[in-house]
């Protein structure tokens, strides 16, 4: 074997010397060529080397695909430590099984579900086989189902853990596993790091279990119909009374959403719902979506749906991402259905839903000081201002990821939880899940839109009334792509630069302080440091004047740095809303230009 591998390793080293691949890629390639656990992949690695496919090898091997905000996510490729393939998916399942076996007592079980992406069903079956081989009973949703339904399944069947095979709103090239704890929430520290330690040390994968045989023996229980019914009942339980006269169009963006959103809307009394035909087919290529990326954060995914709405007289449109945990929406600016339509940002949906839920609760069962809402650090502070006005708490000192919202629910007591939200179009009402749910958010958005219609008001006009009450808030997200090993190096340099040499001002607003969540320190422009009471994470927040600030963090799921811009005009300073909108848009444009220039200078 050594005689066969040595020439390959020599070629790899020559490629490193010629700067065709990185040294880290070479180390991982060596592991896949020499260690017995990767023996079945060695010939494919060798073929790549002999064909001189150095860029593909570097992309696939330059690192070990990490746990991000929700699990392991990346491009699918048949080989590679930095790719989604049978080996990395299998390692993820085996590492999870190993950790739980050593740390959880009693009968062990795992809930598993999958979305419409390429190979999702195959990867879900692989995970089920591995979990059974490790002594787990598996509860399996054997059809395309939503991520929040998997969260519910884990709680409903009292599973030890859960696995969802999905890459959410990523491009068609990607797939992933999201890993869930017994709470129904995605794994939190310290479990996430402990699990990844096990994943990194997986030797052989136990692949002797045959899926169909395990189903026959009851080791894998197909429970799709049972869980569907119970899940929708729990979503429906979050409904509020009110009008249901609304004509709407819904798009699942080629994902699983029709299995959750449509039953929820029907159960809530919305009868006039059209599924947008061009996006109805479950298809991992997302063929009829702009750029083939099914992300409701992108306003352009609504363009064709809005045209259809104008043709049919629909009053509201909704779209959910492929695994149906995020939702976006669009509505006419005024009550004129043929006039201008505008989509809502994730932050705008958050404040609309927050005010709607708290208002309905207050007029119904009432709200108390012990009640609370939860948001992340990069979600608009308007949510906190609304909660303050209703006399309820806000927990907002959270890193990015809905798993932290779910964790806060369990820490603070779910009985007092009212609403959870994050700017990336994720929302939850109710205790039935510990992850964001586009089904319940869609249902409540339709209730709000029907309420607005009954009051002779557009949804945008409702939002404007909230701005007059709480101040004008405008937020913007800038994504700076940094792909591959070079991109990762540049991300690290950029984050270090923000910590060590932050800009002294942005758009003429002097920097007041830097909140460094990685080092848990606050640094002022004169160099003085003080402790930061915040959740650890690779993020900095640049505080500027008058409630304006910018948050910067590397994405936990994609190769990019995210710049979150927050602008604010106090209600006392509002004289003309249109003037405030124009001024804040100019500010956002200036911030974006200066941040791009700052990033380009690394």
């Amino acid at each position: 074997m050594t005689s066969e591998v040595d020439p390959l390793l020599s070629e790899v080293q020559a490629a490193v010397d010629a700067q065709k691949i990185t040294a880290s890629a070479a180390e991982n390639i060596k592991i896949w060529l020499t260690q017995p656990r990767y023996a079945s992949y060695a010939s494919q690695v060798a073929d790549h080397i002999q064909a001189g496919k150095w860029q593909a090898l570097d992309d696939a091997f330059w690192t070990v695909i990490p746990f991000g905000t929700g699990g392991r996510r990346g491009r699918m490729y048949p080989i590679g430590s930095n790719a989604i393939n049978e080996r990395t998916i299998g390692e993820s399942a085996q590492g999870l099984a190993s950790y739980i076996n050593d740390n959880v007592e009693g009968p062990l079980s795992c809930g598993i579900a999958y979305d419409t992406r390429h190979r999702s069903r195959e990867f879900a079956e692989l995970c089920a086989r591995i979990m059974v081989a490790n002594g787990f009973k598996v509860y399996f949703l054997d059809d395309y189902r939503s991520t929040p339904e998997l969260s519910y399944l884990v709680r409903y069947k009292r599973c030890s853990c859960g696995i969802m095979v999905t890459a959410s709103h990523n491009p068609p090239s990607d797939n992933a596993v999201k890993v869930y704890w017994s709470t129904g929430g995605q794994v939190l520290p310290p479990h996430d790091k402990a699990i990844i330690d096990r994943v990194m040390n997986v030797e052989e994968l136990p692949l002797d279990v045959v899926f169909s045989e395990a189903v026959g023996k009851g080791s894998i229980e197909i429970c799709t119909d049972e869980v569907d019914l119970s899940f929708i009942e729990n979503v429906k339980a979050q409904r509020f009374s009110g009008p249901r006269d609304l004509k709407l169009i819904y798009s699942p963006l080629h994902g699983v959403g029709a299995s959750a959103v449509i039953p929820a809307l029907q159960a809530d009394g919305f009868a006039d719902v059209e599924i947008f035909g061009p996006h109805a087919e479950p298809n991992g290529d997302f063929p009829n979506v702009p750029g083939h990326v099914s992300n409701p954060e992108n306003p352009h995914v609504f363009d064709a749906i809005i045209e259809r709405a104008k043709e049919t007289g629909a009053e509201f449109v909704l779209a959910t991402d492929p695994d149906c945990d995020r939702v976006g929406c669009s509505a006419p600016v005024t009550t004129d259905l043929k006039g201008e339509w505008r989509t809502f940002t994730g932050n705008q949906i958050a404040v609309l839903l927050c005010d709607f839920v708290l208002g309905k609760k207050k007029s119904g069962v009432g709200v108390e000081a012990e009640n609370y809402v939860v948001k992340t650090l990069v979600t608009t502070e308007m949510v906190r201002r609304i909660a303050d006005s209703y006399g309820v708490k806000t927990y907002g000192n959270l890193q990015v990821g809905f798993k932290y919202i779910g964790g806060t629910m369990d820490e603070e007591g779910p009985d007092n939880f009212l609403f959870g939200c994050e700017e990336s179009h994720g929302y939850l009402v109710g205790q039935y899940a510990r992850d964001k749910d586009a089904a319940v958010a869609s249902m409540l958005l339709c209730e709000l839109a029907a309420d607005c219609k009954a009051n002779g008001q557009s949804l945008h006009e409702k939002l404007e009334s909230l701005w007059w009450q709480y101040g004008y808030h405008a937020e913007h997200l800038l994504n700076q792509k940094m792909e591959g090993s070079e991109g990762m190096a540049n991300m690290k340099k950029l984050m270090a630069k923000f910590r060590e040499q932050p800009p002294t001002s942005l758009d003429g607003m002097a920097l007041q302080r830097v909140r460094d969540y990685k080092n848990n320190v606050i640094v002022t422009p004169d160099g003085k440091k003080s402790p930061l009471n915040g959740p650890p994470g690779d993020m900095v927040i640049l505080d500027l004047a008058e409630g304006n600030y910018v948050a910067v963090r590397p994405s936990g799921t994609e190769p990019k740095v995210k710049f979150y811009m927050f602008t604010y005009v106090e209600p006392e300073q509002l004289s003309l809303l249109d003037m405030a909108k124009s001024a804040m848009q100019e500010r956002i444009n200036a911030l974006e230009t200066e941040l791009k220039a700052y990033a380009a200078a690394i």
Side-chain angles (χ1 to χ4, degrees), residues 529-598:
K529 296 181 179 181
S530 59
L532 171 64
N533 179 23
D538 192 3
M539 179 167 68
V540 297
I541 294 181
L542 311 176
D543 286 312
L544 307 169
E546 299 172 351
N548 298 271
Y549 57 102
V550 174
V552 188
R553 58 177 284 272
S555 170
T557 55
E558 298 173 86
K560 60 189 178 185
V561 169
K562 293 189 169 190
F563 298 94
Y564 304 82
M565 295 160 234
F566 300 84
T567 67
Y568 176 53
V569 180
E570 294 181 359
E572 296 81 7
Q573 301 299 319
L574 277 179
S575 54
L576 292 173
L577 189 56
D578 287 344
M579 185 181 297
K581 288 180 181 179
S582 177
M584 292 306 100
Q585 187 57 56
E586 289 180 7
R587 176 167 293 172
I588 285 170
N589 292 342
L591 289 172
E592 181 169 330
T593 298
E594 293 181 28
L595 288 166
K596 282 181 177 179
Y598 182 87

Side-chain angles (χ1 to χ4, degrees), residues 256-321:
V256 308
S259 71
V261 173
I262 296 301
L265 293 179
Q266 290 173 340
D268 194 28
F270 289 96
D272 199 349
V273 183
E274 174 187 338
I275 300 179
F276 186 62
H279 298 165
E281 177 198 7
N283 190 325
D285 287 324
F286 314 127
N288 297 319
V289 177
H292 308 293
V293 178
S294 292
N295 188 352
E297 296 177 70
N298 176 12
H300 292 299
V301 306
F302 289 92
D303 291 345
I305 315 172
I306 292 169
E307 289 305 310
R308 175 63 180 168
K310 289 183 176 181
E311 291 172 5
T312 63
E315 300 151 316
F316 189 49
V317 299
L318 291 163
T320 56
D321 69 341

Side-chain angles (χ1 to χ4, degrees), residues 468-502:
W468 281 112
Q469 186 175 357
Y470 299 105
Y472 181 67
H473 297 68
E475 300 86 15
H476 179 64
L477 172 62
L478 168 66
N479 291 307
Q480 191 85 1
K481 286 194 173 183
M482 295 185 171
E483 297 185 306
S485 55
E486 181 181 357
M488 178 60 73
N490 285 336
M491 276 196 272
K492 290 180 178 178
K493 289 179 184 176
L494 180 59
M495 294 306 296
K497 184 179 178 183
F498 271 112
R499 291 184 171 97
E500 296 163 9
Q501 296 175 302

Side-chain angles (χ1 to χ4, degrees), residues 23-33 38 60-64 81-82:
S24 61
E27 286 298 314
N28 288 322
I29 290 169
K30 180 179 179 181
I31 290 170
W32 279 55
L33 282 174
Y38 299 112
F61 284 99
W62 71 269
T63 189
V64 176
S81 56
N82 186 45

Side-chain angles (χ1 to χ4, degrees), residues 113-414:
Y114 59 94
D115 72 357
T116 64
R117 285 179 177 273
H118 299 303
R119 303 191 73 186
S120 281
R121 174 63 173 73
E122 174 190 346
F123 289 149
E125 185 173 313
L126 172 63
C127 290
R129 291 165 55 206
I130 289 173
M131 300 308 286
V132 169
N134 281 273
F136 286 70
K137 174 163 183 158
V138 169
Y139 294 98
F140 199 84
L141 299 182
D142 198 12
D143 201 351
Y144 304 131
R145 288 298 180 267
S146 71
T147 289
E149 185 164 348
L150 182 277
S151 174
Y152 176 74
L153 165 63
V154 171
R155 297 177 59 78
Y156 176 65
K157 291 293 187 179
R158 299 183 179 180
C159 296
S160 312
C161 60
I163 297 173
M164 180 71 198
V165 182
T166 176
S168 188
H169 57 283
N170 280 38
S173 58
D174 293 7
N175 215 327
V177 287
K178 293 181 179 179
V179 177
Y180 288 76
W181 199 244
S182 57
T183 60
Q186 294 177 36
V187 289
L188 289 161
H191 301 307
D192 54 354
K193 292 181 174 59
I195 290 169
I196 200 66
D197 287 343
R198 300 297 182 100
V199 170
M200 295 301 103
N201 290 290
V202 170
E203 293 294 334
E204 295 301 316
L205 296 177
L207 301 175
D208 53 329
V209 171
V210 178
F211 186 85
S212 59
E213 292 179 0
V215 172
K217 293 176 181 177
S219 301
I220 298 175
E221 180 179 323
I222 307 297
C223 55
T224 319
D225 292 343
E226 174 194 355
V227 177
D228 283 352
L229 288 171
S230 185
F231 173 68
I232 294 303
E233 279 299 311
N234 276 270
V235 173
K236 178 186 174 184
Q238 314 312 317
R239 70 192 295 271
F240 298 107
S241 61
R244 296 295 187 268
D245 179 18
L246 187 71
K247 183 179 178 64
L248 67 132
I249 300 177
Y250 164 67
S251 168
L253 298 179
H254 296 295
V256 308
S259 71
V261 173
I262 296 301
L265 293 179
Q266 290 173 340
D268 194 28
F270 289 96
D272 199 349
V273 183
E274 174 187 338
I275 300 179
F276 186 62
H279 298 165
E281 177 198 7
N283 190 325
D285 287 324
F286 314 127
N288 297 319
V289 177
H292 308 293
V293 178
S294 292
N295 188 352
E297 296 177 70
N298 176 12
H300 292 299
V301 306
F302 289 92
D303 291 345
I305 315 172
I306 292 169
E307 289 305 310
R308 175 63 180 168
K310 289 183 176 181
E311 291 172 5
T312 63
E315 300 151 316
F316 189 49
V317 299
L318 291 163
T320 56
D321 69 341
D323 67 326
C324 195
D325 61 356
R326 301 169 190 251
V327 63
C329 62
S330 186
V333 174
T334 68
T335 54
D336 178 10
L337 303 182
K338 298 293 185 182
E340 180 188 0
W341 283 58
R342 248 181 247 153
T343 58
F344 294 88
T345 69
N347 282 311
Q348 290 169 351
I349 296 171
V351 301
L352 284 167
L353 282 175
C354 183
D355 179 73
F356 179 69
V357 170
L358 269 57
K360 287 288 189 179
K361 290 280 189 183
K362 184 175 181 178
S363 63
V365 296
V367 295
E368 299 177 353
E370 291 75 23
N371 291 139
Y372 63 90
V373 302
V374 195
K375 74 177 196 70
T376 64
L377 280 161
V378 298
T379 303
T380 177
E381 280 292 284
M382 190 169 172
V383 168
R384 184 189 301 276
R385 293 181 174 108
I386 291 171
D388 287 348
S389 75
Y390 282 96
V392 303
K393 299 177 185 176
T394 299
Y395 295 102
N397 198 18
L398 278 68
Q399 283 289 345
V400 176
F402 214 91
K403 61 184 180 180
Y404 297 111
I405 295 175
T408 300
M409 290 173 64
D410 290 321
E411 289 171 9
E412 302 301 331

